[in-house]
Amino acid sequence: MRTLAFFNNKGGVGKTTLLYHLAWMFSELGRRVVVADFDPQANLTSMFLPESQLEKLWDPDILTLQSIMAPLSPIIRGIGDIGSPPMIAVSPMIRLIPGDLNLSNFEANLSEAWGKCLDGSEPAFRTTSSLHRLVQAAAADFDSDLVLIDVGPNFGAINRAALICADAVVVPLAPDLFSIQGLRNLGPTLKKWRGEWQKRLVENPAPELALPSAAMVPIGYVVVQFGIRDSRPVAAYDKWARRIPATYSEKVVGNAPVSVTTESDPNCLGLLKHYRSLMPMAMEAHKPIFKLRPADGAIGAHSQGVRDCERDFNLLAKRILEALGLSD
């Protein structure tokens, strides 16, 4: 089993949409997938589930929590350890650990615990490793091949606890100044978190406690154009796209800058185009674009767009599986 996080500290690059489509494509390729929504905005959960189901999931009058907050509640309240991970069957091959807007309340617990781990506090290690242990339990329960983790666009304590769970990290990017600046911050931060966690591991007082290794190996980036307006000049795209390979190589991988295009960069996992009106159509149908059918409105010229999307995500999913050592 491999755990893969999708992360960019710059928001609005299509990270959640990318993960959503890949989860479906991995399942199409025969992989059993657990999707963990650790973003307090819970956008991924709302993409998978219809509004009627979300209402029940987050209804404050329902005493039994069904989201990620259910197993975390004992730790937040200081009355025990994590419970069993909640999982919703999205399809026979996909299980969702649903997010919750109240997850932001866990930020303070994680921030405090991170410091106390240096003092050898067992409760601090249990808090810090809670997301990791939930992921591992969910993967074991479902016998999954992959766990995909979605996080918010920031360097907060929740993201740190979520990312140290990850064996590998994929970086979604938009071809713009903000994504370039995000890469310059992202690489050093992952390196810092790795080092800080290694210092804490030696202070763990409970050898039986399953703790993450914080590998967080960057396996590549995906240039996503979901949010790019059609009116955007091609020259502006090219200007920033040309800077991505060198910045990623130097700041994220830690190698010398390279002088290649995104198309020829071995660190580039894929280039995804703007699918225009197919995206809102897919969101309305609660399906990935490549599963749209004429009954959903994918007729005429849209049919070619659906086929193009299926081809693009099939190639991208296979490249990611190869990078993770999971290819057939």
Side-chain angles (χ1 to χ4, degrees), residues 107 154-161 193:
E107 190 92 37
N154 60 69
F155 290 132
I158 292 175
N159 280 6
R160 181 174 57 201
W193 286 348

Side-chain angles (χ1 to χ4, degrees), residues 2 15 23 54 75 80 96 104 119 122 128 134 148 155 170 207 215 234 241 260 277 285 299 324:
R2 295 287 186 273
K15 167 183 59 64
L54 292 175
I75 284 186
L96 170 68
S104 58
D119 299 327
E122 183 174 338
T128 302
L134 285 172
L148 308 182
F155 290 132
V170 166
V234 174
V260 295
S277 56
I299 56 177
L324 293 171

Side-chain angles (χ1 to χ4, degrees), residues 278-297:
L278 287 172
M279 186 60 67
M281 193 183 298
M283 296 302 98
E284 177 70 21
H286 284 281
K287 295 178 178 180
I289 291 173
F290 50 78
K291 280 186 172 290
L292 289 173
R293 299 294 179 260
D296 302 309

Side-chain angles (χ1 to χ4, degrees), residues 69 87 116 126 129 161 179 194 206 216 232 293 314 327:
M69 294 304 292
M87 287 197 288
K116 289 186 176 180
R126 290 190 178 277
S129 66
S179 281
R194 260 186 235 110
M216 296 184 286
R232 179 170 180 157
R293 299 294 179 260
N314 183 278
S327 57

